[in-house]
Amino acid sequence: MLLLLGNNEAQAGELAEHLAKFPQWEKLTSVKPATGDLVYPDWIAGKWKVTSTLVDLAAPLAPNIVTPGFENNRSQLNQAISFLVRFVKVKPTNSGLKILAYFQNQTPILVADREFNSLNLSRAYLGDETVLSSKVDPESPNRQITFLRGERQLISLVTARATERISEHKFITSEVFQQLFKGSSRPYLNTVESTTAYQKLSTSSPTITADQVTAVYLSPQDPDYFTAGSRPVALYRYHLEFSPQAEF
């Protein structure tokens, strides 16, 4: 994975230290501009049932700055939510563009099925009736739109990422993306950083566990942007368990 990502590698130990400092959190400095897709190790290939549990949350700048929905999210604390995800082999692409002839004979790489995963994750948290569909830009895996009922949209753009290998069966990845919520009277824009440490276990179920922290930062358009600086306004920590599912 690290060989394929090249310049997206983090300095040794930085992502692990980042997770260990929760909730004392600052923006990552090691992330690089996102090109192509995030490549995963072969042991995460296939279809999985993920059980996600919010185990901690924090609003570091409260009560002065609190993001919309933070208090409502508190009701999800220690509530397990399950959904399906899958990771598939694809031909490598050139910086997110369509596959060129040069790459046709390259060894396939393992990536997340972002459209499938995002749709299932969104419906697990928001409900089937709220989430209509999810679409990844065919020109780039880093651009995606989730269509919501009421002509609302969530537009996500991955802008940067970093990875770090701890051992043969443990790796950490971090992606930074811009989120734009459209459809309300006032569109809402923010920056989200998702840092996840995956570990393969010797057991069959769960086969993989993960420690994940999602950090929400204000966008430059927000009037409190300079007050917040490099600090997040909301932090959510999840425990994930991956159990293998048969493909049909």
Side-chain angles (χ1 to χ4, degrees):
M1 182 177 87
L2 300 180
L3 292 175
L4 289 166
L5 288 176
N7 290 335
N8 288 331
E9 282 190 47
Q11 296 179 3
E14 183 175 1
L15 297 185
E17 289 181 8
H18 197 48
L19 285 170
K21 289 179 180 178
F22 180 93
Q24 305 302 317
W25 207 264
E26 295 282 343
K27 276 186 179 178
L28 279 171
T29 59
S30 63
V31 291
K32 304 294 183 182
T35 58
D37 208 343
L38 173 60
V39 182
Y40 290 84
D42 286 344
W43 46 262
I44 203 171
K47 187 176 182 180
W48 305 87
K49 176 184 177 182
V50 177
T51 301
S52 173
T53 305
L54 177 64
V55 295
D56 202 355
L57 73 168
L61 303 182
N64 297 324
I65 305 175
V66 180
T67 58
F70 178 82
E71 287 304 321
N72 288 336
N73 290 334
R74 193 181 296 276
S75 64
Q76 297 178 1
L77 194 63
N78 299 319
Q79 301 296 312
I81 295 178
S82 297
F83 49 91
L84 295 177
V85 300
R86 64 188 177 204
F87 298 82
V88 297
K89 288 290 184 81
V90 300
K91 289 285 188 177
T93 61
N94 184 19
S95 300
L97 301 178
K98 288 183 177 179
I99 297 174
L100 301 178
Y102 174 79
F103 290 93
Q104 291 295 330
N105 296 322
Q106 299 299 299
T107 302
I109 58 176
L110 186 71
V111 301
D113 185 338
R114 289 182 182 265
E115 202 164 286
F116 179 87
N117 297 355
S118 177
L119 180 62
N120 289 335
L121 173 63
S122 299
R123 285 181 169 173
Y125 279 94
L126 300 177
D128 292 355
E129 294 185 357
T130 299
V131 182
L132 303 179
S133 63
S134 182
K135 178 69 173 177
V136 173
D137 188 336
E139 299 291 334
S140 171
N142 298 315
R143 295 194 292 264
Q144 184 170 341
I145 301 177
T146 300
F147 297 92
L148 308 174
R149 189 168 297 280
E151 298 184 352
R152 293 171 297 160
Q153 296 179 3
L154 170 59
I155 302 172
S156 298
L157 173 64
V158 179
T159 58
R161 68 168 59 97
T163 63
E164 182 177 294
R165 180 167 54 189
I166 306 300
S167 67
E168 181 182 357
H169 293 146
K170 185 174 182 179
F171 77 101
I172 307 177
T173 179
S174 186
E175 286 195 314
V176 178
F177 48 98
Q178 303 293 323
Q179 281 191 334
L180 174 63
F181 297 88
K182 296 177 62 176
S184 61
S185 58
R186 179 185 176 188
Y188 183 72
L189 176 68
N190 60 22
T191 299
V192 177
E193 171 199 314
S194 182
T195 303
T196 310
Y198 299 86
Q199 182 167 0
K200 182 183 178 183
L201 307 179
S202 58
T203 57
S204 60
S205 187
T207 302
I208 299 168
T209 60
D211 180 23
Q212 182 179 78
V213 172
T214 298
V216 180
Y217 301 87
L218 297 181
S219 70
Q221 291 80 7
D222 195 289
D224 292 318
Y225 174 75
F226 290 105
T227 301
S230 64
R231 294 169 296 175
V233 291
L235 288 167
Y236 302 94
R237 188 166 202 158
Y238 300 88
H239 175 72
L240 310 178
E241 294 185 347
F242 290 68
S243 299
Q245 302 291 296
E247 288 275 17
F248 296 98

